[in-house]
Amino acid sequence: MTEDALIYTFTLNYNPQPVGSAPVLRTTKAAVIVECHYPRKHNVSSLPLNPLWIPFSAVKVAEEFLYFTLKLKTDDWQYERPSYQYFLGDIIHIEAIVKQYFHVPLRVYVDSCVATLSPDMSSSPRYAFIDNHGCLLDAKITGSNSKFLTRTAENMLQFQLEAFRFQGADSGMLYITCHLKATSAAFPVDSEYRACSYINGWKEASGADGVCGSCDSVGPSDGSWGSQTTPGRKTRDVTQSES
C-alpha cells in the first residue's frame, strides 16, 4: 500500500498440457506477474452528482450525422479506380455509399448530379444528368448507356455514366458534383427517394418502377439540359440549351 493506492499483486501461471494422447508439448511454462493499482482517494462532495449517462437527446442528434462516400470504381466494381482519365465512349462506374455505424438500416440515394468545367457547380456550361430527385436523365436526353444498377445492398447505390465532353470546350477536364441523401431502409421508395433510369422506359433500381412516372413530367430543376440527340448516338458532346 502506498499513500495514493492500494496495490494488489499476484502471479498468473501457465502450465501447458499434452493435446490428446500425444505425449508432446509445443509450448513452455510461463509465469506472469500482475499488479493492480486501486486509488485510495476519491472526490467526495455534498453537491448534486451529474449523471454519467449520455442524454437521449444527444444520442438522437448524433444519429442524425451521416457519412457518405462517392467513388470511381473499376469496371468490375471491386476496387477504387486509380485513374481519373476516361475517353469518349468509356463507361464511368460510380458508387455511392452511406456508412451504417449505429443507425437503423439505411438506404442511400443520389438525388442530383451536375457536371461542370470548374469546381463551382453553378458555373456555365453545366449539365444536370441526374435531377428531379433521382432521375438519371442522360440516357433519355442523349440515348447513352447511362443507368443505375440494380441494388445489391440498401446502403450502396451504383450507377454508370457514359463519358462525354462539353461541345466547344477546350478543356478535357470535368467536375461532377452530386447530392446524396439517405433514409431508413424500412421506408418505401417514393417520388422523392428513388433511383430511376431510362431503359426503354423508366426503371427503378429497387424494382418500384411506378415511382419514376414523374421523371418525364418536368425537366431539370435548374434548366440545365444537355443538347437533345437521337437515341443510339455515340458522340457524347453536351451543351447547355436555352430553356
Side-chain angles (χ1 to χ4, degrees), residues 96 100 106-108 150-158 206:
Q100 291 286 172
L106 297 172
R107 185 184 299 121
V108 67
T150 301
R151 284 188 187 271
T152 57
E154 297 287 17
N155 71 318
M156 178 178 68
L157 183 60
Q158 299 169 325
S206 299

Side-chain angles (χ1 to χ4, degrees), residues 93-135:
H93 297 83
I94 304 175
E95 182 178 87
I97 288 179
V98 59
K99 299 294 185 180
Q100 291 286 172
Y101 294 123
F102 301 107
H103 295 279
V104 298
L106 297 172
R107 185 184 299 121
V108 67
Y109 298 90
V110 181
D111 194 61
S112 62
C113 282
V114 61
T116 54
L117 292 175
S118 74
D120 181 4
M121 64 177 296
S122 62
S123 62
S124 182
R126 61 196 309 273
Y127 178 47
F129 57 88
I130 299 179
D131 210 339
N132 195 19
H133 303 303
C135 299

